[in-house]
């Protein structure tokens, strides 16, 4: 291979260009996935799926805030009209709604309804009802109510309305299908979009249309939208802005790095390397997972930083030793393979993570680093020119290190700093911490508060699952019976068996004798009110009929509490108060209770478990790998010194800056382990092989550290909180690891030397 | 005998047709009407409502009063006999009036009713022309729905009180079911300050 490349340098270069072009071409067709589900650990994926599939989560909230209630009403109407092409036409109750509700009652006739109706069909009850009927006729809306009185003189529809009102959440005001604040100045319309919330191209189009609609509202009202669509829009904006910003900053950083450390045309190959390895790695990762997260792609800059370390070491080895390219590569082969092994072990550990994004990052990084190592050892040296003597001299430097005592003191200080940081760390377990969101979103969420009140905090969703929808409904009914409670879903959308029982109850109630009695009593009381009882004849005829009118009422058009899951099962969502008894019902099998608090608690536990598992696995794998290389426990353990100094810097740094950190900082620890160990290996190799000292100049370690920092550290300017957290962690962690390797490790190794 | 009855009916309808002629109101006439009503900003009036319904054994009469302000749109419609009830539209919200006070109404029916009432009281000609074919028959304007609406199609006849400022004198709703509602307005005061506390 080496020989072939040496003799066909141009052809090999052409092949590389072709590979890059092809990969870039394929990479263009990869759909970037901004779905938050990829960030969720697998143990709580089911809960997240239930949550994201529930009707409330699928809804988009179009909101307006105005100076007058009328203006708010007008603005919301304008907003809905302007966004109509993106919205599923909302259910509008027509004049036949009353009839539909009346016909729906027999299929939902509960024991409670039976008792209530029994109490109403008495002489005083009917007298009261007839008076109400007469009063309805003499009201302003009598024109509309007249038909209702005619079709339903006993006002049985009221029983159905009571059932529907069970869906109403305490503290939330409804008005004509919209949620309204007490002062009427803020209104929210719950709408369904014609596109899935995770499809970011549609979300962008919607976002643009929304902005145009806002312009039409003028200055009298402020509009906003919330829900899954908004989160996608915010994530898309954040990740896309980040990609541009990070790329620009990384390029600038790399240019600075070139002028500070390299200043030779051969070093330009270092910069070409990421361009060759990243596109194919992204394409293969996307093919393996069927999707590629924007966060994984954002991690490309980190991988770029890591991947160039191998070439940097060879470059500096050539500078100092005067070796020819392939000679330097050959002499550093063991070290580079060891470096690759330790980094790979960290990514292997990450591959066992329950978070899909981390598995994507693991595969992406492993592919890129493998390709980088192979290119560094066998391909790139063919293109290196021998470095002039002057260059080598320019890099030579002497450095006086710390004494052992000083090193111990600094190490102790760092450990204290780290311990202080761990104690002070402020973890943010809010799910929103995983989303990229702007200050504007927070402002809009505040705007919606007068409407939604504390309902989100005080209520949770109780999901009951089944293999079929009917099974889920039946289980839901059984659970409510066990608790002795009445749940809205069971009352309005009973199971097939539930409907059979309720229908039979209706028929048993309306015996011929009862119908006759009710008719006679109604006629008598109606006559007293001047109502023509003959007009009610069709109603009583309907009650006596053996065959019931069909049930045409489809409540799911208004609110759909059913969820269909990816594993083919179904669920019923009940909105219940956030109480312990419901939380205890959750068995993780067919009953799940999800509230904002419980979900955050579960997420926090899952991430902690993830982090601890990954860190332990990475540590063990790395320990095994470095022991395998050095066959010496002390040397193997010393390679972990930069890891510890890096970790101390991270935790201490966060505490010092009073930064609130999201749980994903814990995932950075195995990555830091991989990087830190690389630096540790570099130093152990240098000090344990004095004959090869020229291959390991400190400048090489510094350049490698800075190149990773350029890749990793630029993430600190990202808007997306996960990327930002990684960037800030990298700034502290890599600096700590590099400084630990350069200053703290040598005193312990020099003694051995 | 039946044949003669039909012939007689035909003859009568032909002979009297010119007297009952209905002419379509022209665009210019509508514009003039709209301009005149545009001057009316507030209305305060009493009314008598007469209902002829199949649901009632006898026609019944109810009484009440109303206050209307065009801008910002406010309406207070109150029955005083035989039942005390009504509706208030204030700051974009609808309230139901009962003997015990006023309570907010959330349904869309109430809002639709209020919107309809305000369209008529303000004589929003542009809006009415959209939904009704407007005809004139002697001193009466007849509104025929362009489409079947609200379940039962109906025809609305309107008599106007001519003066410096125009107002509605009488309104009659005729439904296809045969039901009829007649609203007669009296003691109407236009563009006068409305009593405090009605909105």
């Amino acid at each position: 291979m080496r020989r072939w490349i040496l003799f066909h340098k141009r052809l090999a270069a052409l092949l590389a260009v072709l590979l890059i072009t092809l990969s870039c071409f394929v990479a263009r067709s990869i759909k970037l996935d901004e779905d938050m589900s990829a960030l969720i650990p697998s143990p709580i994926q089911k809960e997240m799926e239930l949550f994201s599939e529930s009707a409330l989560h699928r809804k988009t909230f179009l909101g307006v805030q105005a100076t007058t209630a009328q203006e708010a009403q007008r603005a919301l109407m304008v907003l809905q009209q302007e966004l109509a092409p993106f919205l599923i036409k909302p259910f509008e109750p027509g004049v036949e709604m009353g009839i539909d509700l009346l016909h729906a009652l027999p299929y939902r006739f509960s024991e409670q309804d039976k008792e209530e109706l029994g109490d109403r069909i008495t002489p005083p009850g009917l007298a009261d009802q007839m008076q109400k009927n007469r009063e309805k006729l003499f009201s302003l809306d009598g024109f509309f109510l007249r038909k209702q009185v005619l079709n339903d003189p006993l006002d049985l529809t009221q029983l159905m309305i009571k059932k529907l009102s069970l869906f109403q959440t305490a503290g939330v005001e409804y008005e004509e299908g919209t949620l309204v604040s007490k002062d009427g100045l803020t209104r929210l319309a719950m709408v369904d979009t014609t596109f899935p919330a995770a499809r970011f191209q549609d979300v962008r189009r919607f976002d643009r249309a929304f902005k145009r609609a806002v312009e039409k509202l003028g200055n009298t009202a402020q509009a906003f939208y919330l829900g899954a669509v908004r989160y996608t829009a915010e994530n898309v904006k954040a990740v896309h802005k980040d990609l541009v910003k990070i790329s620009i900053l990384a390029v600038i950083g790399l240019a600075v790095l070139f002028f500070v450390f390299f200043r030779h045309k051969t070093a330009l190959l270092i910069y070409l390397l990421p361009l060759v390895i990243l596109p194919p790695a992204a394409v293969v990762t996307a093919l393996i997972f069927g999707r590629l997260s924007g966060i994984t792609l954002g991690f490309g800059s980190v991988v770029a930083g890591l991947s160039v370390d191998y070439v940097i070491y060879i470059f500096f080895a050539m500078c100092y030793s005067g070796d020819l390219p392939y000679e330097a590569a050959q002499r550093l082969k063991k070290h580079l393979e060891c470096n690759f092994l330790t980094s790979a072990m960290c990514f292997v550990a990450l591959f066992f993570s329950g978070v899909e994004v981390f598995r994507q990052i693991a595969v992406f990084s492993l592919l890129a680093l493998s390709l980088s190592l192979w290119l560094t050892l066998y391909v790139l040296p063919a293109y290196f020119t021998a470095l002039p003597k002057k260059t080598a001299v320019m890099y030579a430097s002497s450095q006086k290190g710390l004494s052992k005592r000083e090193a111990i003191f600094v190490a102790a200080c760092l450990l204290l700093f780290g311990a202080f940081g761990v104690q002070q760390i402020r973890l943010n377990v809010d799910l929103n911490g995983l989303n990229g969101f702007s200050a504007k979103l927070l402002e809009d969420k505040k705007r919606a508060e007068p409407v939604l009140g504390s309902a989100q905090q005080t209520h949770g969703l109780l999901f009951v699952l089944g293999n079929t929808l009917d099974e889920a409904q039946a289980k839901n009914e059984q659970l409510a019976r066990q608790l002795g409670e009445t749940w809205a879903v069971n009352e309005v959308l009973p199971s097939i068996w539930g409907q059979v029982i309720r229908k039979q109850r209706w028929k048993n109630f309306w015996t011929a004798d009862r119908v006759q009695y009710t008719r006679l009593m109604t006629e008598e009381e109606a006559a007293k009110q001047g109502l023509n009882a003959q007009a009610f004849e069709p109603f009583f005829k309907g009650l006596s009929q053996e065959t019931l009118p069909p049930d045409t009422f489809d409540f799911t058009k208004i609110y759909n509490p059913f969820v269909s899951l990816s594993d083919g099962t179904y669920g019923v969502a009940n909105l219940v108060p956030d109480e312990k008894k419901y939380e205890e019902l959750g068995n993780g099998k067919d009953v799940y209770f999800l509230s904002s608090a419980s979900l955050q608690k579960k997420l926090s536990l899952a991430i902690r478990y993830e982090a601890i598992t990954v860190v332990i696995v990475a540590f063990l794998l790395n320990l095994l790998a470095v022991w395998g290389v050095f066959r010496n426990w002390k040397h193997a353990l010393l390679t972990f010194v930069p890891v510890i100094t890096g970790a101390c810097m991270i935790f201490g740094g966060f505490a010092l800056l009073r930064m609130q950190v999201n749980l994903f900082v814990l995932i950075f620890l195995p990555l830091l382990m991989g990087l830190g160990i690389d630096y540790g290996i570099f130093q152990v190799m240098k000090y344990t092989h004095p004959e090869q000292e020229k291959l390991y100049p400190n400048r090489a370690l510094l350049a490698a550290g800075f190149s990773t920092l350029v890749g990793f550290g630029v993430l600190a300017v990202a808007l997306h909180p996960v990327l930002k957290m990684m960037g800030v962690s990298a700034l502290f962690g890599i600096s700590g690891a590099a400084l630990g390797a350069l200053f703290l490790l040598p005193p312990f190794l020099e003694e051995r030397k | 005998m039946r044949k003669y009855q039909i012939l007689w009916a035909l003859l009568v309808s032909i002979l009297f047709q010119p007297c009952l002629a209905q002419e379509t109101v022209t665009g210019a006439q509508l514009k003039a009407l709209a301009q005149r009503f545009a001057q009316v900003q507030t209305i305060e009036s009493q009314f008598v409502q007469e209902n002829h319904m199949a649901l009632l054994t006898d026609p019944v009469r109810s009484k009440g009063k109303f206050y209307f302000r065009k801008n910002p749109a406010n309406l207070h419609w109150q029955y005083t006999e035989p039942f005390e009830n009504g509706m208030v539209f204030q700051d974009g919200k609808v309230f139901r009036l009962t003997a015990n006070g006023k309570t907010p109404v959330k349904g869309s029916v109430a809002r639709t009713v209020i919107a309809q009432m305000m369209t008529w009281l303000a004589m929003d000609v542009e809006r009415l022309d959209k939904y009704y074919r407007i005809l004139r028959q002697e001193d009466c304007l007849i509104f025929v729905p362009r489409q079947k609406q609200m379940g039962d199609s109906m025809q609305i006849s309107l008599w106007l009180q001519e003066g410096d400022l125009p107002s509605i004198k009488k309104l009659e709703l005729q439904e296809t079911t045969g039901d009829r509602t007649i609203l007669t307005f009296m003691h109407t005061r236009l563009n006068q300050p409305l009593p405090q506390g009605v909105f």
Side-chain angles (χ1 to χ4, degrees):
Chain A
M1 169 65 100
R2 204 168 70 181
R3 183 164 297 185
W4 185 87
I5 291 169
L6 271 172
F7 288 105
H8 302 87
K9 274 163 72 173
R10 283 189 181 174
L11 183 63
L14 189 71
L15 283 173
V17 171
L18 276 174
L19 178 74
I20 298 168
T21 316
L22 185 71
S23 302
C24 288
F25 183 72
V26 179
R28 274 173 62 89
S29 63
I30 297 174
K31 251 171 68 174
L32 267 191
D33 184 37
E34 314 298 342
D35 192 353
M36 203 178 76
S37 68
L39 282 169
I40 302 301
S42 52
I44 58 161
Q45 279 279 2
K46 184 99 172 183
E47 275 99 332
M48 278 311 293
E49 191 185 359
L50 282 167
F51 182 69
S52 58
E53 286 300 310
S54 65
L56 283 176
H57 184 264
R58 284 199 306 261
K59 293 274 179 200
T60 299
F61 295 84
L62 290 180
V64 289
Q65 198 169 45
T67 43
T68 65
Q70 268 173 294
E71 183 52 30
Q73 211 176 340
R74 183 201 70 86
L76 189 60
M77 210 183 290
V78 171
L79 203 61
Q80 281 177 287
Q81 277 166 1
E82 291 296 318
L83 295 171
F86 296 91
L87 308 177
I88 294 171
K89 202 169 179 282
F91 174 77
E92 283 171 6
V95 282
E96 302 306 320
M97 177 77 169
I99 302 276
D100 285 342
L101 286 177
L102 181 65
H103 290 170
L105 183 63
Y107 299 84
R108 295 158 178 86
F109 192 59
S110 66
E111 201 60 41
Q112 216 176 333
D113 297 332
K114 191 177 122 183
E115 277 174 32
E116 191 181 326
L117 201 54
D119 291 343
R120 275 164 55 178
I121 302 174
T122 55
L126 289 170
D128 183 48
Q129 184 57 51
M130 290 310 120
Q131 194 187 335
K132 278 182 185 162
N133 285 347
R134 184 180 160 85
E135 203 167 329
K136 276 181 190 170
L137 300 180
F138 294 99
S139 63
L140 190 57
D141 44 357
F143 176 77
F144 293 94
L145 299 177
R146 190 172 23 174
K147 200 167 182 181
Q148 191 190 324
V149 171
L150 197 65
N151 292 325
D152 181 18
L154 302 184
D155 202 10
L156 301 179
T157 314
Q158 201 53 40
L159 295 172
M160 273 304 291
I161 291 170
K162 262 190 179 177
K163 289 177 194 292
L164 296 179
S165 66
L166 289 171
F167 279 102
Q168 195 157 346
T169 318
V172 178
E173 294 276 327
Y174 291 90
E175 200 179 288
E176 297 161 41
T178 57
L179 308 174
V180 192
S181 63
K182 280 203 173 77
D183 58 8
L185 302 182
T186 313
R187 294 182 90 95
L188 285 182
M190 281 164 55
V191 296
D192 293 300
T193 52
T194 51
F195 53 87
R199 202 185 291 161
F200 67 88
Q201 274 155 350
D202 288 328
V203 171
R204 279 167 90 174
R205 271 195 284 272
F206 174 82
D207 194 58
R208 281 198 286 265
F210 177 81
K211 279 175 187 151
R212 284 197 298 271
V214 169
E215 281 168 18
K216 290 196 177 169
L217 293 183
N219 298 327
T220 47
Q222 286 174 311
F224 56 92
Y225 70 98
L226 297 170
V229 171
R230 177 68 184 271
Y231 280 119
T232 307
E234 293 281 330
N235 274 331
V236 169
K237 273 184 216 163
V239 171
H240 283 255
K241 269 187 194 168
D242 286 346
L243 278 177
V244 176
K245 201 159 56 176
I246 288 166
S247 306
I248 293 170
L249 276 175
V251 168
I252 295 169
L254 289 172
V256 172
L257 204 69
F258 179 84
F259 287 107
V260 172
F261 288 100
F262 307 112
R263 293 187 213 165
H264 193 276
K265 62 177 182 182
T266 292
L268 288 173
L269 284 171
I270 297 170
Y271 293 96
L272 277 179
L273 190 65
L275 293 178
V276 182
I277 61 164
L278 293 182
V283 169
V284 177
T285 311
L287 286 174
I288 291 172
F289 289 92
R291 59 179 180 171
L292 191 69
S293 167
I295 291 175
T296 308
L297 211 60
F299 201 77
S301 61
V302 178
V303 181
L306 284 173
S307 64
V308 295
D309 284 1
Y310 308 141
V311 203
I312 291 173
Y313 292 148
I314 290 184
F315 178 84
F316 281 101
M318 283 165 63
C319 289
Y320 280 84
S321 64
D323 283 350
L324 288 169
Y326 271 117
E327 274 172 16
Q330 201 55 38
R331 288 176 69 187
L332 277 179
K333 192 178 173 195
K334 190 184 167 192
H335 169 222
L336 296 186
E337 281 172 350
C338 184
N339 264 9
F340 169 76
L341 193 66
T342 51
S343 303
M345 287 302 117
C346 293
F347 289 118
V348 166
L350 207 58
F351 184 74
F352 292 104
S353 158
V355 182
E356 193 192 308
V357 162
F358 293 126
R359 291 201 298 274
Q360 284 187 20
I361 287 175
V363 170
F364 180 57
S365 308
L366 278 171
L367 286 166
L369 290 184
S370 315
L371 202 55
S372 167
L373 182 70
W374 180 73
L375 288 170
T376 304
L377 290 177
Y378 303 104
V379 181
L380 288 181
Y383 298 90
F384 278 4
T385 50
L387 295 173
K389 190 93 176 165
K390 195 181 163 192
T391 316
V393 172
M394 194 177 78
Y395 293 123
S397 65
S398 65
Q399 171 227 318
K400 194 178 179 300
L402 296 171
S403 69
K404 196 177 175 186
R405 189 174 287 179
E406 287 167 341
I408 289 172
F409 175 75
V410 173
C413 289
L414 264 175
L415 280 173
L416 278 175
F417 185 51
F420 160 77
V422 170
Q423 209 181 17
Q424 298 290 314
I425 202 159
R426 289 159 62 206
L427 274 179
N428 176 10
V429 291
D430 192 345
L431 270 177
N432 289 331
L434 310 185
N435 279 304
F437 56 85
S438 59
K440 175 83 172 66
L441 174 59
L442 291 177
E443 199 182 299
D444 291 345
K445 282 178 94 174
K446 254 203 179 116
R447 278 204 183 111
E449 269 172 20
V451 179
L452 297 173
S454 57
Q456 282 174 309
Q457 276 75 46
T458 55
H459 285 72
L461 287 168
L462 186 74
F463 290 93
V464 179
L465 310 190
N467 291 322
T468 62
L469 183 56
D470 190 53
E471 188 187 308
Q473 286 171 280
K475 278 185 182 174
N476 201 50
E477 286 163 4
Q478 200 184 350
L479 198 61
R481 264 199 307 277
Q482 275 173 18
L483 294 171
E485 292 182 0
T486 306
W487 292 347
V489 178
N490 298 337
E491 290 302 302
V492 180
L493 296 156
S495 65
I496 295 170
W497 181 240
Q499 285 184 35
V500 170
I501 293 172
R502 285 159 189 254
K503 237 165 37 180
Q504 196 53 49
R505 189 180 287 129
W506 172 267
K507 282 184 179 169
N508 293 344
F509 181 84
W510 287 112
T511 57
D513 285 349
R514 196 190 290 264
V515 173
Q516 180 64 4
Y517 169 80
T518 314
R519 184 208 307 261
L520 291 173
M521 289 303 301
T522 304
E523 277 175 7
E524 198 180 312
E525 294 302 327
K528 285 181 194 168
Q529 296 294 334
L531 299 173
N532 183 2
Q534 296 301 312
F536 303 140
E537 199 52 36
F539 170 77
F540 286 106
K541 216 171 167 184
L543 286 182
S544 325
Q545 269 171 2
E546 185 55 34
T547 320
L548 291 171
D551 178 13
T552 49
F553 176 60
D554 184 5
F555 182 68
T556 57
K557 281 183 185 167
I558 304 169
Y559 172 76
N560 188 352
F562 303 134
V563 290
S564 166
L565 300 170
S566 55
D567 62 2
T569 57
Y570 293 87
V572 178
N574 304 284
L575 192 66
V576 292
D578 186 359
E579 289 171 9
K580 203 166 184 188
K581 66 172 176 180
Y582 296 112
E583 202 174 339
E584 283 167 357
L585 282 175
N587 57 15
K589 197 177 147 215
D590 52 6
V591 180
Y592 290 84
F593 175 73
L594 300 179
S595 68
S596 182
S598 74
L599 207 58
Q600 280 176 17
K601 200 169 133 193
K602 282 181 181 172
L603 179 72
S604 167
L605 282 175
I607 300 273
R608 275 170 210 259
Y609 174 79
E610 281 292 321
I612 292 168
T613 312
V614 172
V615 167
I616 290 173
V617 173
F619 173 75
L620 291 175
L621 289 175
N622 273 305
L623 192 63
L624 213 64
V626 283
W627 181 82
V629 174
F630 299 118
R631 302 276 165 179
N632 179 322
W633 280 112
K634 283 178 186 168
H635 287 170
L637 288 171
L638 277 172
T639 56
F640 284 87
V641 168
V643 180
I644 295 164
T645 54
C648 288
M649 285 290 284
I650 290 178
F651 290 114
F654 280 143
L656 210 63
L657 296 178
R658 302 185 67 77
M659 268 184 76
Q660 216 180 37
V661 295
N662 67 37
L663 289 162
F664 280 75
V665 70
L666 300 175
I667 299 295
F668 176 74
L669 292 178
L671 300 176
L672 175 75
M673 196 179 289
L675 287 164
I677 289 173
D678 280 359
Y679 303 151
I681 291 170
F682 183 94
Q683 293 293 60
V684 173
M685 283 282 195
K686 175 180 174 178
Y687 286 94
T688 54
H689 297 86
E691 73 284 359
Q692 292 185 352
E693 198 180 359
K694 283 186 177 175
L695 294 173
Y696 299 102
N698 282 346
R699 213 172 169 81
L701 202 148
L702 265 178
F706 275 113
S707 69
T708 314
L709 209 57
V710 164
F712 232 141
V714 289
L715 295 181
V717 298
L719 291 172
H720 200 285
V722 174
L723 292 178
K724 189 184 181 75
M725 196 46 59
M726 285 188 170
V728 179
S729 307
L731 276 176
F732 288 124
I734 295 172
S735 322
L739 293 174
L742 281 170
F743 300 106
L744 292 184
L745 207 47
F748 296 98
L749 290 164
E750 268 171 350
E751 199 178 57
R752 292 170 202 294
K753 192 171 101 178
Chain B
M1 184 64 189
R2 186 172 166 77
K3 198 162 66 180
Y4 288 113
Q5 275 179 345
I6 294 167
L7 274 172
W8 176 244
L10 272 172
L11 190 64
V12 167
S13 67
I14 292 163
L15 280 172
F16 286 90
Q17 199 187 17
C19 307
L20 303 170
Q22 292 179 342
E23 53 188 57
T24 306
V25 178
T26 62
Q29 287 170 323
L30 283 177
K31 204 174 166 185
L33 189 68
Q35 274 171 356
R36 294 199 62 216
F37 268 93
Q39 297 170 52
V40 179
Q41 289 304 313
T42 62
I43 311 172
E44 178 184 346
S45 181
Q46 292 176 8
F47 64 85
V48 174
Q49 184 175 328
E50 214 175 283
N51 287 83
H52 301 257
M53 291 183 205
L55 201 50
L56 296 168
T57 44
D58 296 307
V60 288
R61 185 177 280 197
S62 50
K63 289 178 181 176
K65 57 189 174 184
F66 82 87
Y67 306 93
F68 169 68
R69 184 189 289 141
K70 202 184 273 178
N71 206 0
N74 282 319
L75 177 67
H76 178 119
W77 186 279
Q78 188 178 4
Y79 289 93
T80 49
E81 287 177 45
F83 298 103
E84 266 192 56
N85 65 35
M87 277 187 187
V88 173
F89 181 73
Q90 181 186 340
D91 299 331
K93 286 191 167 187
V94 182
F95 299 89
R96 192 175 290 281
L97 285 174
T98 60
N100 304 323
K102 62 179 187 180
T103 49
V105 186
K106 290 166 186 171
S108 59
V109 170
R111 191 170 287 275
T112 310
V113 171
I114 290 281
Q116 287 272 335
M117 285 308 290
M118 292 203 293
T119 304
W120 287 102
L121 293 174
M123 270 310 270
D124 186 345
V125 175
E126 196 184 329
R127 193 174 168 81
L128 289 170
D129 188 39
K130 202 170 153 188
Y131 294 104
Y132 298 93
R133 201 155 52 87
I134 306 173
L135 308 165
R136 180 184 282 278
Q137 184 184 299
E138 297 181 342
D139 61 340
C140 166
L141 288 172
I142 299 168
F143 296 78
V144 183
R146 293 191 189 274
Q147 285 175 342
K148 189 185 173 190
Q149 57 179 350
M150 294 170 234
D152 298 312
S153 122
M154 57 183 179
Q155 179 178 297
I156 297 165
S157 306
L158 202 72
W159 286 266
L160 299 177
Q161 176 80 53
E162 294 301 334
D164 291 342
L165 292 167
S167 67
I168 300 170
K169 192 164 64 179
K170 194 168 116 184
L171 187 147
E172 186 177 330
L173 279 85
Q174 177 79 52
E175 291 171 54
T176 50
T177 54
D179 285 358
R180 218 152 44 94
T181 304
I182 304 157
L183 272 163
T184 311
F185 299 94
M186 58 201 104
H187 307 303
T188 303
R189 297 172 72 219
L190 303 171
N191 289 353
Q192 297 298 312
L194 297 177
Q196 293 241 319
V198 288
F199 301 124

